């Protein structure tokens, strides 16, 4: 069994190779380590190796881990799970980024609850790029409307778009769905936005996502191992 350090190094190498193979600059893709279901101590260990950005999906687990790791000054917390409107507060108060904003109401609450003492909360709009009915995220043709709503909120900073493609091994299908997110980014930027983040790519498909323009990949299993805790 590889150690967590080795697994993390392997992921960094995969990112590096993917970036180099399409001649993008080496620092153009960030690694978000998705630590959901793994203990705070695993996060602490990886932080010790130099990883700074961590992603969590569940509000209670996020709040508990953040409290346990409050001494890590440089840690950057990304909330990547779906958010219910009655559970936004601890995310607004504790996260640096929120990736799965797909409703105006959630955005409004996050902005209202973001403490003045902290900087603006960085947010990404989650887009349903696969068209699966069960998937969260706004439809591609609703992105501009939500972006306009977010831009009007004082405590949020619209940084990016995020997607979870349909689960498939079909690389062409994945490419098409990732490419759609990039196209939407271009559309927004043509309208004057400055969207610099494409949050796409997970353990199984990070190379495909990087080839289509990902700037941040969200990696859990390939670093921490398989998740056994049911959620
Ligand atoms: C769990 C999760 C990930 C990590 O997925 P892996 O396949 O374990 O790398 C990425 N993004 C989101 C939104 C997740 O919920």
């Amino acid at each position: 069994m590889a150690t967590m350090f080795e697994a993390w190094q392997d992921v960094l190498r995969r990112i590096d190779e993917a970036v180099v193979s399409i001649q993008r600059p080496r620092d153009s893709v960030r690694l978000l380590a998705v630590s959901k279901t793994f203990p705070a101590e695993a996060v602490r260990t990886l932080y010790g190796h130099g990883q700074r950005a961590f992603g969590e999906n569940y509000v209670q687990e996020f709040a508990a881990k953040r409290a346990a790791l409050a001494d890590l000054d440089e840690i950057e917390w990304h909330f990547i799970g779906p958010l219910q409107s009655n559970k936004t507060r601890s995310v607004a108060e504790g996260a640096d980024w929120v990736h799965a904003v797909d409703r105006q109401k959630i955005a409004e609450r996050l902005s209202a609850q973001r403490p003045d003492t902290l900087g603006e909360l960085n947010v990404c709009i989650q887009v349903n790029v696969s068209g699966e009915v069960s998937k969260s995220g706004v439809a591609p043709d609703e992105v501009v409307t939500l972006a306009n709503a977010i831009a009007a909120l004082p405590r949020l900073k619209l940084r990016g778009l995020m997607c979870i493609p349909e689960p498939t091994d079909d690389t062409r299908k994945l490419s098409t769905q990732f490419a759609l997110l990039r196209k939407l980014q271009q559309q927004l930027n043509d309208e004057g936005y400055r969207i610099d983040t494409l949050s796409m790519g997970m353990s199984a498909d990070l190379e495909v996502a990087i080839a289509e323009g990902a700037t941040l990949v969200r990696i859990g299993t390939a670093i921490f191992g398989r998740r056994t805790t049911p959620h």
Side-chain angles (χ1 to χ4, degrees):
M1 266 277 298
T3 63
M4 186 170 62
F5 176 74
E6 289 163 346
W8 176 66
Q9 290 284 304
D10 276 345
V11 169
L12 289 172
R13 201 171 309 121
R14 280 175 65 189
I15 293 172
D16 220 43
E17 285 174 10
V19 164
V20 166
S21 77
I22 53 160
Q23 284 150 28
R24 284 176 56 192
R26 271 216 147 78
D27 59 359
S28 62
V29 179
R30 294 186 72 202
L31 169 59
L32 177 65
V34 177
S35 45
K36 66 180 177 210
T37 78
F38 290 93
E41 284 318 303
V43 173
R44 185 179 292 283
T45 300
L46 203 56
Y47 182 97
H49 294 317
Q51 176 68 31
R52 288 294 177 268
F54 291 88
E56 288 287 332
N57 280 58
Y58 309 103
V59 173
Q60 274 183 327
E61 184 184 349
F62 164 62
K65 242 176 248 182
R66 195 172 79 82
L69 299 168
D71 58 309
L72 306 182
D73 309 330
E74 291 175 15
I75 201 161
E76 187 181 293
W77 286 114
H78 293 237
F79 193 82
I80 64 174
L83 256 180
Q84 292 170 319
S85 58
N86 61 345
K87 292 204 179 147
T88 49
R89 185 171 294 278
S90 64
V91 173
E93 292 177 351
D96 301 291
W97 285 74
V98 180
H99 287 237
V101 175
D102 64 358
R103 275 184 293 153
Q104 184 173 343
K105 185 174 175 199
I106 299 287
E108 284 167 355
R109 291 182 70 95
L110 288 170
S111 181
Q113 293 168 345
R114 181 69 169 174
D116 287 334
T117 49
L118 299 176
E120 290 171 337
L121 179 60
N122 298 297
V123 302
C124 299
I125 294 174
Q126 183 177 358
V127 184
N128 181 351
V129 291
S130 65
E132 295 164 279
V133 284
S134 59
K135 233 349 124 42
S136 42
V138 298
D141 63 0
E142 293 167 348
V143 171
V144 173
T145 305
L146 183 55
N148 290 343
I150 291 172
L153 294 169
R155 308 289 301 139
L156 301 188
K157 182 165 186 162
L158 181 59
R159 292 292 299 275
L161 301 177
M162 176 272 214
C163 73
I164 305 172
E166 93 185 68
T168 173
D169 295 331
D170 184 339
T171 305
R172 292 221 333 253
K173 245 186 202 170
L174 289 171
S175 290
T176 306
Q177 294 176 18
F178 289 138
L180 173 56
L181 204 69
R182 183 183 182 146
K183 201 179 106 200
L184 292 165
Q185 174 195 27
Q186 190 59 52
Q187 255 171 36
L188 287 172
N189 286 347
D190 287 346
E191 293 194 20
Y193 281 92
R194 296 221 194 97
I195 307 290
D196 60 13
T197 299
L198 284 181
S199 167
M200 58 189 197
M202 309 198 284
S203 292
D205 58 17
L206 72 89
E207 286 85 0
V208 186
I210 289 172
E212 295 300 338
T215 66
L216 180 150
V217 291
R218 309 179 307 266
I219 309 299
T221 311
I223 298 173
F224 295 103
R226 286 180 81 93
R227 291 178 287 275
T228 50
T229 319
H231 258 291

